[in-house]
Each structure stands twice: as C-alpha cells, then as structure tokens.
Amino acid sequence: MTQAPLFRQITDFANRANPYPLYEELRKNPVLHEEEGGPYVFSSYYDIKALLHDPRVSSDAANLAAAGTDELARVEETGGLPPSFLRLDPPEHDRLRRIANSAFGPPHRPRRVENMRGSMTAIVEQLIDAFGDARQIDLVDQFAYPFPVTVICRLLGVPREDEPRFRAWVDPLVASLDPDTRQGADTEFSKAAQEARMQLGMYLAGLVEERAKEPRDDLLSDLVNSHGPEGAMTMMEVLSTAVLLLIAGHETTVNLITNGMLTLLRHPDILQRLRQDPELSVTIVEELLRYEPPVQIVPQRTCITDIEVRGVTIPKGSRLWLVLAAGNRDPERFKDPERFDPDRGDIQHLGFGSGIHSCFGAPLARLETQIALRELARRLENPRLVADPPPYRQNAVLRGPRHLEIAFDGLH
Amino acid sequence: MAADYLDRLRREGRIVIVGASLAGLRAAETLRAEGFAGELTLIGDEPYEPYDRPPLSKSVLLGMASPLHTELPHRWEIDAKWRLGIPATGLDLAAKRVKLADGDEVPYDRLLIATGVRARPWPKEDEAGLSGVCLLRTREDAADLYQRLKAGPRRVFVIGAGFAGSEVASACRGMGIPVTVAERAGAPLVGALGGVVGAVAADLQTENGVDLRTHVTVTSLEGDPVGRVRAVHLSDESVVEADVVVVSLGSQRNTEWLTGSGLGAGPRGIACDAGCRAFDFRGIVTDDVFVAGDVARSPHALFGYQFLSLEHWGNAVAQAETAAHNMICHGADRRPHLWMPAFWSSMFGVNIKSVGVPPMGEQLMITQGSLAERRFVGVYGYKGRVIAAVSFDNTRWLEFYARQIEQGEPFPVEFPTMDRRPEGRQPVPADFPDPSLPTHGPTVTLTGYSPADQQLVFHPARH
Ligand SMILES: Cc1cc2nc3c(=O)[nH]c(=O)nc-3n(C[C@H](O)[C@H](O)[C@H](O)COP(=O)(O)OP(=O)(O)OC[C@H]3O[C@@H](n4cnc5c(N)ncnc54)[C@H](O)[C@@H]3O)c2cc1C
C-alpha cells in the first residue's frame, strides 16, 4: 500500500494523539508541496514566523476562495455574517481589531483581564469543590470546558444558562475549522457550519440590541457602543466579532488547560514543583504554548503574489499551511525541543501565532491557564492519569483530548 | 598559551564594567550566563542599580509609572561588586587600571566601557540654571519634570522636536497642559525619519493641540527676579511665556573621563571594531577593552561599514551581549555585532518604529497603509536597495522589512502588499535635511537567523 501524503496524515485522526513524529518528518522538507492544488506546508520556526509577518500573505477569505480551494472561505462568502477580523486583511482587519481591542485591553481598558483574576480563582475553586467525594473526574467535562466558558460568557455579557443552546452551534463551527483534505468537498458539512454561525449570530443579536439600549460593564456593550476615532462597528461587524470571541474563548483555552494537565501528569517532578511554587505557573504556561499548543496549524493563508521561501517559488494564490506546532519544536530554533522544560531561558513560541493576527485573547488565555493549573496542582491529592494517551477530539487544527480521566486520593 | 590565558580569565580573571545601566547590566548577565566565574565589578556614577530609561519620557510623565520603579529586571544572578555613585575618572591602559573619583583604582584583565550619553544642556549656563529649565535623561530628571507637570504649569516649552521632545509634548497634551514645541528644521523627527514622515508627525502634533513652531531657534530664556524661568525668546522675534522649559537638544557622549588615556574616545563616542573591541587613538584595535551601548561607534557591514552610533535600547542590549561573549572567548568564536538597528517610540497614541538606518535613505515608498491615515509602513531606498523602514501603528510588519534590509532586496519595492495604496506605487525623495551618505555601496548581505549563525555573504560589486 502506498503511504498517504504527509499533509493528509496530519488530518488523519489516527495520528491525533501524537502528531509530533509526523511534524519531525515534515521539517525534513520545510517547504512541502505534495499534490497539485494541495497546500504548501511550512514547518520551520523561522519560515513560519517570517510568513506570519509577510505583507504578501493574505488571511482574507475572499483571496482564498479565489484560489478555489477553501471550503470554509466559500461558506463565509455566501452569506450570513461578514467575516470576522481573523479572516480579513488590513485595512479592514486593523480597524475592527482596534475597536475590539479598545473594549478589551490597554489603553482604554488596561485592567479588564487582570481585574478578573479574583473571579476566575473563585470559579476555579467552585469547580474543584464540586468534585466532592469523587475520586475520579473527567477534567474536560468537569473543569477545563466549564471554566473558560463561564469566563468568556461573563466577559462578553452572555448569560451562562444559555450555554447548552449555543454549544449546539459552536460545535459544528469549530469542526468546520478543520481543513478538509478528503477528495471532494462535503457541502452538507459546510452548510451546517454556515447555519450554525447564523443561528449564533441571531442569538447574540438579541443580546447586543439590549446592550445598545442599556449598556453594562461587558464587552458586548463596549463593542456596540464604540464611537472612538475609528468610528463604530456596524451591527453585523459587532455580531461577527462577538461570534469570533465566543468561539475562540470556547475551544482554545479548554485544550490549553487539558494539554497542560496532561503534560504535568506526564512530568510529575514539575507538577510537584508547581505545587510548592505557584509562581512557576507563568513559565509552565509559556512552555506549554510551545510544547503542546492548542492551535496546531494555521491553514487559512494564501499569497497575493509569487513569493520565495528557501529558494522555492510559491505561486500566487497557493494555499499555505503554517504548522505552528512543528515550528515550536524546530531544533533550528530550540535546544532540546522535544523536552518539556519550563526552565528554558527564552521561551518564545508560535503558540499564539505572530504578526497582526496573533491571538487576540492571549492575555486572557494565559491568566486562565495559570490559575487553573496552579489550583489543580494545589488541590488534587496524588493525581494520576487513568488512560494515556487519552481519547482525542477529531480536530487537527484545534487539537486536544476529548476526555481526560484523572484519579486522585482526595482534595486539599 | 592563548588558550591557557583564556581559561584562566574565565575561571579567575577580573572583569570591570564602567557604566552600570542597561548595557552594563546585560553584559554582566551574559558574562555569567556564559560561564565567567571570576571577579566582576560594576562601576556607575548614578547611585542606583540599573534602571530603564524609555518609560521616563512616556508612562512616568503620565503618572502611570513611578520614576523610582523602573528598575531593570535581572535575568541572571550576576554576583558582582557594585561601586555605585562613584564616577570613573580615568583609565591607565598600560597598567590596566580604572581610576575612580574617590581615589581608588580598580585593576582589570578585561574592561567594558558602557558609559552611555547624557542630555545636551542648554548652552548658556545662567539660563540653564533657572528653576523650571529641565533635561530628561535620568531618573531624577524625570521625577523633577513629573512634579512640575503635576503642579499644572500654565505652559510648557519644549526645545527640539526629536523623539524625546515630541514624547514630552505628547505627555503634556495627555495631561491637558498647553505646550509649545520649537524646532530648527521644518518638522518634528526630520533628522531621524525625513521630511515626508516628519510632515505626518507635524500634523499629529498640531491636531493634538501642540503649538508647533518650525524653522525657528530659541535665542534666550528669560527668568523672573527669583530665578524661575518665565519666557522663551525665539529667532523670529516672538516671545512665549512658559513656566517649564524642557531642553531636548540631543546628547553628548560620556567620554571625557577617557581623555589622555590613549583610547580612541571623543565627542563622537568610542570607536570599536565589529567585535566591540575599542580602538586606540592610533586606530589600532585593543584586545582587552570593549565598548557597548550608546557610547559605542561601530562599523556595520550592511550599512556600508559606516561607524554607527545608535542610541537605541535594543542596540545597547545586543551589543552588550556580543561584547560580553567576545570578551571571554577565542578569536575564532567571536561574533560581529550585526544588530539590525531598530527604534521605537510612542506619542499621541501612535506607535512609531523604525528598522535599518532611515537617514541613509534617499527615497521613500509607502508600501502599506497611507500617510493621510497616519497608519503606514514606509520603505527607504538607498542606491537601489532597501535600507530602512518605518511604521506608524503598523509595528508587526517590520520584521518582514528587516529581512528585506538584511538581504539587500531591491528598491523601489515592486511587489504587491496588502493595503498598498496608489500613493505607494512611486518612490518620493525621503527629504532629509543634510544627507551624509557614504561613498560606496554595501556589497554584503546578512544570512542566517540568530546571532549565533548569522553570516556575511560577500557579493562582488555589480557594475
Ligand atoms: C527619556 C528617554 C527615552 C528613551 N526612549 C527610548 C525608546 O523609546 N526607544 C529606544 O530604543 N531607546 C530609547 N531611549 C534610549 C535608551 O534608553 C538608551 O539607548 C539606553 O539607555 C542605552 O543604554 P547604555 O547602557 O548604553 O547607556 P545609559 O543608559 O546612558 O547608561 C550609561 C550609564 O553610565 C553612567 N556613567 C557615565 N559616565 C560614567 C563614569 N565616568 N563613571 C561611571 N558611570 C558613568 C551613566 O550615568 C549611566 O548610568 C531613551 C532614552 C531616554 C533618556
């Protein structure tokens, strides 16, 4: 039997639990193009970093659609909400992201995230207390999912009780982020995602309308009432931004926390150190973003002109896959890259991307994960993995365990 | 033999660093990180441990950070002898000793000079001594100026619209204080970024309510009977009443203490080779005296081997690391200081950043965004190649342009980029007032990524 091309093996679920040997293969051929019409796959740290800062590389869904290869791009193009700033180029990207940022971070809201530290810790404590007398939990369902969802709901101003409703819309949307490498596009699949995005938008529209009339101290209020020098977002822009934040707030941190606990349980010495020194959570999370980043691949880029990488000409309109998780373990950049080592002096990574699209929610994700891991380390008595590797989610882009069963002797 | 010496130096040698600020600290950390186990002495004339200066003209003036809390974080345990609050007053190259103001002498096996620069004072001493006439270089300067701004002056007058002066003006406007800025050239930032970009900076200032006076010089400062500054007289005969005057006329190198030492040190700094080794006044390279930071002047291959003095934070860090590395390793393992010049500033809510050496640029192309929106990337060209780039609120693209400079990519920039507007299709003169261009073009490019594997590639000149 002939082996499937490497890039198809990445999306193959069989490799989900440990894609890293595959990434090592990839790096042997850092500019990989295996199939006519298929993506150009990049796996070297420096190449990825350079491409993320290259003004000839576009994130615009329309440019990808013109290249004729991206299912998701077509979905976004054909109706419903306008694309979020994640899928736009400057200047539109810059305008929307700036307005969103004025509601989220400095200089206008410098302490919005930091101010949530106390309530985040309280949520974490409640979730852990709720383990009660159990001696085994599923970390995903009982902790890593509910925690960031509660936080993002609170931040945006979305009622937490509505979570089951929007979860039904978020799931197909997240699934659609997985690059579909099967032959022949699955239109049912993308239609479902489009439908879900619309539904979610309509649900949020109700809330946004309320906030327009009666602002509160939440992000939705700030987004809809933004009247800075940039002007305001249109209602549709507010909705697609809110959908983006809600989804990003949903899936990435869940995986970061779960991957984090999994990694710590595989490195008991470091877990032990964290128990004694909660401050260590800061560097642990940074190293985690390098070692097991929740976003493994950025598959939605194309170039608007021919560009050259390592002497290879990438023709205009080609689809680019930037395999962040492979770059993060590139020996050209990191000493001993396959080792999880929070003590490495310079932990720079591609875990949040880089350039103008670098993760908008990074400060939030960092703080959430620091608090989560610190408290889990502190409170779980003698925690251990029940199954290694745990069962994984389907998604190759947003990679993480579907469940993580942890046994322990009690709570501190 | 040489190897023996080096081993001993690393194990039990004496290294002295004069100038205990950014470059000094980073060098000390690098020495330890790279295994220097001998005796390390840091000499600094300021009474504090190393602190950070960029916040002094930004968040400190806005009251967002205390001037006393900008200490530089230590990245490495350095286990050094600190001689703080004591200036070095002389250097005996032959005897390898640094003389201190308190009469002490400190012997060294290797010396690093990182004495930086100081603010150029107002030239007329009696006027400079008036209360309310301020400089901005040190922690005390910043604390003093902040107190004066907080007291709510009727008007602040800034002499000189370079980066520092413009940042002060921005802080004043942020606090709602009326401010006048006087500049000899036609616009702010002209010396650093040229007239085209300077015009954008001028709009930025006037739109933010700065009373900007260009093409004028200050002729005198007038005091009141009790010795407080009261008014500023200008070359166009106008008089502006102000109770705080910030003198922002650039800097002077701290090299006087080396007079007579035989080192190639003077008003333009201390010349050194690409490996940070100081030259003596005969142009012969020393092997035990190294230089780093604002006070250094070193040749840069990418920029025609010009001796560049870069008063940039990032340069001080990178050069200190290179100097420290070279101080304790074999000749063949030494690294050149090939730092890509990069400078940032923020004023009136705009982030400004440059890479390369803009003043070498003859022409400018706006490759992304637009001047009118004050969000753009501009690329400077010199003899058919990309030599520098500047961004207003577009910082994240500059890494790409830095690579363009390193690889000697052609100018004008022909390829399409996102957000390229019609105005960016043609190069325009960059409009520097006094271009001091070198006489020959660069014939090398930089390859590789990290300082450890960066290499120069020589290309014979194309004729
Ligand atoms: C207000 C302000 C804002 C700035 N903003 C920016 C910015 O936004 N971006 C940027 O890139 N750069 C900025 N800079 C420049 C940056 O701070 C400098 O490039 C950096 O401080 C250089 O470090 P250094 O160690 O070489 O010199 P310095 O920091 O000047 O340190 C030299 C030290 O040596 C001491 N010294 C001098 N003579 C002697 C002697 N004889 N004996 C003992 N000690 C001596 C000095 O007192 C000083 O402590 C700014 C500087 C200032 C003042």
Side-chain angles (χ1 to χ4, degrees):
Chain A
M1 202 187 96
T2 49
Q3 266 237 318
L6 267 177
F7 86 98
R8 286 180 190 275
Q9 293 180 50
I10 296 180
T11 50
D12 185 347
F13 184 69
N15 294 310
R16 195 70 70 252
N18 183 14
Y20 292 100
L22 212 54
Y23 295 158
E24 197 180 332
E25 270 308 297
L26 277 182
R27 282 192 303 263
K28 289 184 187 152
N29 195 348
V31 186
L32 185 75
H33 183 58
E34 292 174 297
E35 261 179 26
E36 183 123 0
Y40 281 78
V41 184
F42 299 90
S43 49
S44 123
Y45 179 91
Y46 291 110
D47 292 345
I48 295 171
K49 190 100 190 296
L51 289 167
L52 288 169
H53 288 264
D54 194 321
R56 301 165 300 180
V57 172
S58 165
S59 300
D60 192 324
N63 280 327
L64 265 180
T69 40
D70 187 288
E71 255 328 287
L72 186 65
R74 219 155 51 211
V75 173
E76 290 191 10
E77 211 197 18
T78 48
L81 295 173
S84 68
F85 58 75
L86 185 68
R87 305 299 306 275
L88 287 173
D89 291 336
E92 294 81 10
H93 162 275
D94 294 7
R95 182 177 63 88
L96 293 176
R97 179 156 167 152
R98 253 186 332 259
I99 299 176
N101 203 44
S102 68
F104 186 61
H108 306 280
R109 298 274 183 181
R111 303 193 60 81
R112 179 155 242 163
V113 171
E114 189 54 35
N115 284 345
M116 293 188 74
R117 186 181 279 272
S119 61
M120 283 185 197
T121 309
I123 299 167
V124 163
E125 292 308 325
Q126 279 165 19
L127 287 170
I128 296 180
D129 288 341
F131 298 165
D133 295 330
R135 291 294 168 264
Q136 186 170 329
I137 52 145
D138 174 11
L139 188 80
V140 178
D141 286 347
Q142 290 172 261
F143 185 88
Y145 181 78
F147 171 43
V149 168
T150 307
V151 172
I152 193 70
C153 284
R154 213 173 268 187
L155 191 69
L156 280 171
V158 171
R160 179 70 175 84
E161 316 80 82
D162 291 349
E163 186 268 333
R165 280 174 72 195
F166 57 72
R167 186 172 194 174
W169 301 315
V170 168
D171 284 345
L173 259 175
V174 170
S176 75
L177 292 176
D178 219 13
D180 190 353
T181 57
R182 286 166 300 178
Q183 308 284 9
D186 185 342
T187 46
E188 282 307 306
F189 189 61
S190 44
K191 250 201 236 135
Q194 184 194 352
E195 179 66 22
R197 195 157 181 272
M198 285 271 283
Q199 295 275 358
L200 187 53
M202 269 153 61
Y203 163 75
L204 289 169
L207 296 177
V208 168
E209 232 159 80
E210 283 172 30
R211 298 302 197 284
K213 283 187 224 123
E214 219 177 301
R216 299 191 202 164
D217 183 23
D218 57 36
L219 256 169
L220 284 183
S221 301
D222 283 7
L223 288 179
V224 70
N225 295 305
S226 60
H227 300 293
E230 311 292 340
M233 283 191 191
T234 65
M235 179 58 97
M236 294 301 261
E237 287 167 347
V238 169
L239 295 180
S240 63
T241 305
V243 167
L244 171 69
L245 299 185
L246 187 64
I247 292 181
H250 243 77
E251 289 299 329
T252 49
T253 321
V254 182
N255 289 335
L256 187 57
I257 294 173
T258 314
N259 289 337
M261 201 54 196
L262 175 61
T263 304
L264 287 175
L265 289 169
R266 287 172 175 168
H267 296 84
D269 50 323
I270 295 173
L271 182 62
Q272 179 60 27
R273 279 176 59 199
L274 173 61
R275 193 170 295 134
Q276 279 147 10
D277 175 14
E279 284 297 301
L280 195 63
S281 59
V282 175
T283 43
I284 286 181
V285 170
E286 285 321 293
E287 173 69 345
L288 212 50
L289 283 157
R290 185 192 72 80
Y291 185 78
E292 286 276 21
V295 178
Q296 301 252 309
I297 309 169
V298 171
Q300 306 122 329
R301 301 283 162 108
T302 183
C303 41
I304 59 173
T305 181
D306 291 2
I307 61 173
E308 203 188 290
V309 181
R310 293 193 191 237
V312 180
T313 301
I314 321 293
K316 169 180 175 174
S318 305
R319 179 146 55 142
L320 318 179
W321 278 16
L322 312 180
V323 188
L324 307 180
N328 272 349
R329 294 199 188 186
D330 183 350
E332 202 178 74
R333 171 63 183 80
F334 298 101
K335 223 164 105 184
D336 215 353
E338 301 290 335
R339 210 178 79 185
F340 179 69
D341 176 14
D343 300 322
R344 63 177 71 238
D346 82 316
I347 312 182
Q348 287 184 7
H349 53 71
L350 301 166
F352 285 134
S354 192
I356 62 165
H357 292 285
S358 73
C359 176
F360 181 80
L364 187 65
R366 280 197 165 101
L367 189 59
E368 286 176 343
T369 313
Q370 287 161 12
I371 293 175
L373 295 181
R374 193 185 70 197
E375 290 306 302
L376 287 170
R378 186 172 71 85
R379 301 215 37 208
L380 297 186
E381 203 177 305
N382 187 24
R384 53 214 180 259
L385 284 174
V386 173
D388 192 3
Y392 271 78
R393 293 169 194 273
Q394 177 59 42
N395 210 307
V397 166
L398 293 169
R399 173 179 162 268
R402 174 69 199 90
H403 298 287
L404 189 68
E405 292 290 334
I406 296 180
F408 54 97
D409 296 343
L411 289 181
H412 285 293
Chain B
M1 232 278 276
D4 271 5
Y5 173 74
L6 207 65
D7 280 347
R8 223 178 30 247
L9 174 76
R10 294 173 68 98
R11 231 179 21 248
E12 57 199 40
R14 295 160 304 181
I15 292 184
V16 172
I17 298 175
V18 184
S21 182
L22 180 62
L25 175 67
R26 292 297 179 243
E29 288 172 340
T30 307
L31 285 169
R32 290 301 190 210
E34 296 199 4
F36 173 66
E39 196 177 289
L40 187 56
T41 309
L42 274 107
I43 299 163
D45 61 0
E46 294 189 82
Y48 318 105
E49 291 220 0
Y51 60 88
D52 211 14
R53 293 177 207 273
L56 298 183
S57 55
K58 305 176 182 76
S59 48
V60 165
L61 292 190
L62 291 170
M64 278 155 30
S66 157
L68 302 177
H69 288 103
T70 68
E71 288 89 4
L72 284 161
H74 288 216
R75 300 190 297 196
W76 200 273
E77 199 52 57
I78 58 177
D79 181 26
K81 255 198 226 157
W82 295 87
R83 306 289 300 261
L84 296 177
I86 308 168
T89 51
L91 172 65
D92 186 334
L93 274 181
K96 296 195 176 192
R97 297 172 92 82
V98 175
K99 298 176 197 157
L100 302 189
D102 63 3
D104 228 358
E105 294 200 357
V106 189
Y108 63 83
D109 298 305
R110 293 257 147 108
L111 170 68
L112 177 70
I113 301 175
T115 45
V117 302
R118 63 183 182 277
R120 184 189 304 284
W122 182 243
K124 298 184 203 167
E125 248 174 69
D126 50 334
E127 294 177 10
L130 293 169
S131 164
V133 176
C134 305
L135 296 171
L136 187 50
R137 178 82 203 170
T138 66
R139 186 177 260 193
E140 280 106 6
D141 295 342
D144 175 52
L145 183 56
Y146 173 62
Q147 287 308 327
R148 288 178 192 276
L149 295 187
K150 221 176 59 171
R154 282 169 305 142
R155 175 168 294 275
V156 172
F157 195 104
V158 179
I159 312 178
F163 279 107
S166 301
E167 286 176 13
V168 171
S170 166
C172 289
R173 293 311 300 146
M175 296 170 87
I177 301 167
V179 57
T180 300
V181 176
E183 168 59 47
R184 181 201 300 266
L189 312 185
V190 161
L193 299 174
V196 179
V197 177
V200 180
D203 284 347
L204 194 59
Q205 299 212 355
T206 44
E207 263 173 47
N208 279 281
V210 175
D211 169 30
L212 177 66
R213 316 274 183 104
T214 54
H215 295 298
V216 292
T217 54
V218 171
T219 50
S220 67
L221 307 178
E222 179 190 326
D224 68 9
V226 293
R228 289 176 309 206
V229 71
R230 173 161 75 188
V232 179
H233 294 254
L234 298 168
S235 55
D236 63 1
E237 313 262 290
S238 58
V239 179
V240 178
E241 288 191 18
D243 28 26
V244 176
V245 172
V246 183
V247 179
S248 197
L249 292 172
S251 57
Q252 292 173 312
R253 329 264 131 196
N254 291 319
T255 53
E256 291 81 353
W257 67 283
L258 295 164
T259 309
S261 67
L263 216 57
R268 295 171 70 190
I270 305 169
C272 61
D273 74 355
C276 310
R277 295 181 299 177
F279 287 117
D280 71 12
F281 74 97
R282 304 167 300 175
I284 297 176
V285 77
T286 60
D287 206 32
D288 40 21
V289 182
F290 290 71
V291 203
D294 284 5
V295 78
R297 233 157 59 80
S298 66
H300 200 307
L302 280 185
F303 305 98
Y305 292 101
Q306 278 197 90
F307 277 76
L308 298 177
S309 291
L310 299 164
E311 290 179 43
H312 298 356
W313 192 96
N315 181 65
V317 173
Q319 199 167 21
E321 287 170 355
T322 303
H325 170 84
N326 291 347
M327 281 171 99
I328 53 167
C329 75
H330 296 284
D333 297 331
R334 285 189 177 141
R335 294 201 299 252
H337 176 56
L338 291 176
W339 188 70
M340 171 60 57
F343 181 89
W344 87 94
S345 172
S346 71
M347 55 185 77
F348 307 104
V350 175
N351 272 307
I352 301 175
K353 189 169 178 188
S354 75
V355 290
V357 184
M360 275 182 81
E362 302 159 331
Q363 289 185 307
L364 176 71
M365 262 180 124
I366 303 306
T367 54
Q368 293 181 253
S370 102
L371 292 170
E373 290 164 30
R374 287 192 216 118
R375 276 177 219 293
F376 60 88
V377 179
V379 173
Y380 295 84
Y382 168 66
K383 291 203 193 299
R385 89 180 237 177
V386 175
I387 201 82
V390 62
S391 68
F392 273 46
D393 274 349
N394 257 301
T395 308
R396 290 172 196 261
W397 297 115
L398 284 193
E399 236 179 84
F400 169 79
Y401 293 97
R403 293 292 286 170
Q404 295 265 307
I405 299 165
E406 285 187 346
Q407 300 186 332
E409 295 290 336
F411 184 93
V413 178
E414 304 287 5
F415 53 77
T417 57
M418 272 176 286
D419 201 14
R420 187 139 181 197
R421 316 286 174 82
E423 68 176 302
R425 302 229 175 93
Q426 290 300 324
V428 296
D431 188 18
F432 282 96
D434 172 31
S436 54
L437 299 173
T439 51
H440 61 281
T443 50
V444 294
T445 62
L446 211 49
T447 67
Y449 298 100
S450 69
D453 58 31
Q454 263 180 350
Q455 287 174 7
L456 284 174
V457 180
F458 184 75
H459 301 294
R462 281 173 290 222
H463 282 292

